[in-house]
Amino acid sequence: MSEANLNRYERRRKQRELKEQQKKQGKQYPPTVTLPNRKRNLKTVDEEKEAV
């Protein structure tokens, strides 16, 4: 089965298996980081409530 025909769950499973294999070989990669929503400069819920 080619990589293009894999569904989301199979692709995630394969990626997880590959990551585990690389970890066993001693390879370490930095963790992935999600970006915060930066549409406003408000940092707390209270600031949002005051702005509305």
Side-chain angles (χ1 to χ4, degrees):
M1 188 181 286
S2 71
E3 193 70 29
N5 293 334
L6 296 177
N7 67 24
R8 181 186 325 170
Y9 305 106
E10 292 170 334
R11 187 169 43 246
R12 282 185 186 168
R13 183 181 54 79
K14 281 188 167 273
Q15 287 175 343
R16 203 175 307 125
E17 289 174 358
L18 178 63
K19 197 171 186 179
E20 288 175 10
Q21 287 176 356
Q22 291 174 340
K23 193 173 184 179
K24 287 179 185 176
Q25 294 174 356
K27 296 180 182 177
Q28 293 183 358
Y29 296 96
T32 57
V33 180
T34 58
L35 296 174
N37 183 352
R38 300 257 181 189
K39 291 185 178 182
R40 293 187 176 184
N41 293 335
L42 308 175
K43 296 181 181 178
T44 65
V45 176
D46 292 332
E47 288 179 1
E48 287 185 34
K49 288 179 181 177
E50 288 176 10
V52 176

